[in-house]
Amino acid sequence: MAHVVTQSCCNDATCVSVCPVNCIHPAPDEPGYGTAEMLHIDPATCIDCGACVDVCPVDAIKAGYELTPETVRYREINARYFSDPRHRDYAPEPVDRARAGVAARLRVAIVGSGPSACYAAEDLLTRGAEVTMVERLLTPWGLVRFGVAPDHPHTKQVTRLFTRTAARERLTLHLGVEVGKDITHEELLAHHHGVIYAVGAAGDRKLGVAGEDLAGCHSATGFVAWYNGHPDFRHARFDLSGRRAVVVGNGNVALDVARILVSDVDTLARTDIADHALEALAGSGIEEVVVLGRRGPEQAAYTTPELLALGDLSDVDIVAEGPLEGSGLKVEIVRELASRPRRGKRRIVLRYLASLVEIFGEGRVTGIRLGRNELTGSGAARDTGEREVLDCELVLTSIGYRADPLPGLPFDHARAILPTESGRVVGAPGVYATGWIKRGPSGVIGTNRKCAEDTVSSLLRDFESESLPEPAADAFDALIRARRPDAIGFSGWKAIDRLERGSAPDRPRRKLVDPAEQLAAARAGDLR
């Protein structure tokens, strides 16, 4: 029986390289990889060798006999992918890989420590390069630590790969160092042949509707950072005393937020959710979360695994409102979720073909005005002019991430990214980008691997052609010690990691969210 990729797939694609029969698609060099929700195993080709299972960083691949009632649907999802004529034949473009080992003299700085940064570092290290990784926060892993929902522990297991990368001898990790504040971009570039920016897109897009500045209206980005223990959001406050919350958006983050708001607190208490969020959710009065989508379920941006995860919620009803037309997989799943017997204490309402046009209240949110939409022939949403008022006390907007300009670098304000060509930042020799700051907020964690490798290939070609100037003598570590004596390295992070894991025997970890506590833990660990 063929192996099956399940919902915890990170798109890392390590499995692709070890498969002896090329049955896992889309591969990084095949069409559609960059936008794929997950990878798929062709049941007609798989020989059940298990090589993919051994290397999967998030335990997403299961033998057919291991499928549970919760994951058995993925057998159909994998097979269905290959029944689509678009996915039957692949024509991968040849990969232009620089020769291994030619980069022994190469010294590269990477700004950021999330997935795109770690994938770029690993690719460079395997070529023999020396890597300096600089991170503003005192803890690494970026999106994995602060973006992945606490009830998705399998997805976070990808940090095992990142930890191995960070522990490599030729990588130096500087945590607690901010480029543009502690050191300048020019200083970073002067000490390295090249600099790769992998800082992601931490900002959020605005709705631009009346009432968006009222108390009780927040970005889902901030809410996610708050419950995941991001230090910058540890003092944020969200009033959860009302009965109804509205989440504006139809992506994975919108479903994450809705799920966390109605999840059983005892279940959340077994995750790595921040303590302050767990306490607030324990006293929550929210009984209903309405998730607004401008279009229908088939056009929704959330992935199939995230949609299926709603079915795992205990004591939560899933209600669908709006036309459920079409025969696509997402439509089928929504119908199935909505057809289950209703006996939950709380509920999530998936409201389709509806746009928020106004938020109102006296000083704080008391309700919203919705506009009803219809789909055009091209699949776009068109306002019908019909309006409806919905009472609510909390509004969380989840309409996309947006990167902020970086000091000393050009910026594409319209797309909110660094302007790049093949990973090279336009108009900035020796400067490169990868991840969301390069391509915008798209893809999943593993998508960043191919993105990073493409950028590294450009950097290596520039190095081989001797178009990168020789950096100054390697005195960067001394510069960091002088500028930021409180910065910590990999050993400091490992001390924080040990304390977080050791202080919560019934949880994956209890996150330290105060930088002062993180620094104290790092120092204490270095003394042992």
Side-chain angles (χ1 to χ4, degrees), residues 172 181 244 257 279 298 320 331 345 413 420:
T172 302
K181 179 180 177 182
R244 178 186 286 138
V257 166
E279 181 180 353
E298 195 61 27
V331 177
K345 298 177 181 178
H413 290 272
T420 61

Side-chain angles (χ1 to χ4, degrees), residues 120-367:
E122 180 64 23
D123 199 23
L124 285 163
L125 291 165
T126 59
R127 316 304 183 95
E130 183 178 341
V131 176
T132 303
M133 187 176 287
V134 180
E135 166 61 55
R136 177 178 70 87
L137 301 175
L138 290 168
T139 56
W141 316 145
L143 179 66
V144 180
R145 182 176 172 97
F146 300 119
V148 175
D151 58 351
H152 283 2
H154 287 294
T155 304
K156 299 187 181 192
Q157 291 179 16
V158 72
T159 58
R160 295 182 300 184
L161 292 178
F162 300 160
T163 298
R164 288 200 290 269
T165 297
R168 284 178 175 264
E169 183 178 351
R170 291 179 67 83
L171 186 145
T172 302
L173 180 63
H174 294 290
L175 297 170
V177 177
E178 184 173 354
V179 178
K181 179 180 177 182
D182 302 313
I183 57 170
T184 67
H185 162 73
E186 291 74 19
E187 289 171 330
L188 195 64
L189 188 58
H191 287 83
H192 300 85
H193 289 94
V195 178
I196 299 176
Y197 280 87
V199 295
D204 59 275
R205 297 183 182 275
K206 301 298 182 183
L207 284 169
V209 301
E212 195 170 7
D213 57 346
L214 287 172
C217 180
H218 310 269
S219 74
T221 305
F223 187 69
V224 169
W226 171 74
Y227 67 60
N228 274 327
H230 194 296
D232 293 351
F233 292 84
R234 68 189 189 278
H235 297 310
R237 293 292 180 269
F238 299 89
D239 186 352
L240 307 180
S241 62
R243 189 186 72 83
R244 178 186 286 138
V246 172
V247 181
V248 184
N250 243 197
N252 284 348
V253 173
L255 294 193
D256 281 346
V257 166
R259 199 176 60 252
I260 294 299
L261 282 170
V262 297
S263 287
D264 177 67
V265 173
D266 290 337
T267 300
L268 291 177
R270 296 190 291 272
T271 72
D272 66 355
I273 191 171
D275 285 348
H276 58 247
L278 186 63
E279 181 180 353
L281 288 165
S284 172
I286 292 175
E287 299 175 0
E288 177 180 282
V289 180
V290 180
V291 182
L292 296 181
R294 293 185 304 111
R295 298 186 292 169
E298 195 61 27
Q299 294 82 29
Y302 49 65
T303 61
T304 302
E306 285 293 336
L307 183 59
L308 283 170
L310 296 182
D312 299 332
L313 295 171
S314 61
D315 293 327
V316 176
D317 293 333
I318 308 300
V319 179
E321 294 183 353
L324 299 181
E325 300 173 355
S327 57
L329 181 58
K330 289 179 180 177
V331 177
E332 292 177 16
I333 295 172
V334 170
R335 286 178 182 148
E336 291 174 11
L337 291 172
S339 65
R340 299 185 310 176
R342 297 184 185 179
R343 50 178 177 268
K345 298 177 181 178
R346 297 179 177 181
R347 69 181 200 162
I348 293 175
V349 178
L350 302 176
R351 180 71 181 271
Y352 298 106
L353 291 175
S355 293
L356 188 150
V357 296
E358 182 185 358
I359 304 171
F360 52 82
E362 294 295 330
R364 66 167 302 103
V365 174
T366 58

Side-chain angles (χ1 to χ4, degrees), residues 46 62 86 147 183 496 505:
C46 176
K62 305 295 181 183
R86 295 172 298 175
I183 57 170
I496 295 172

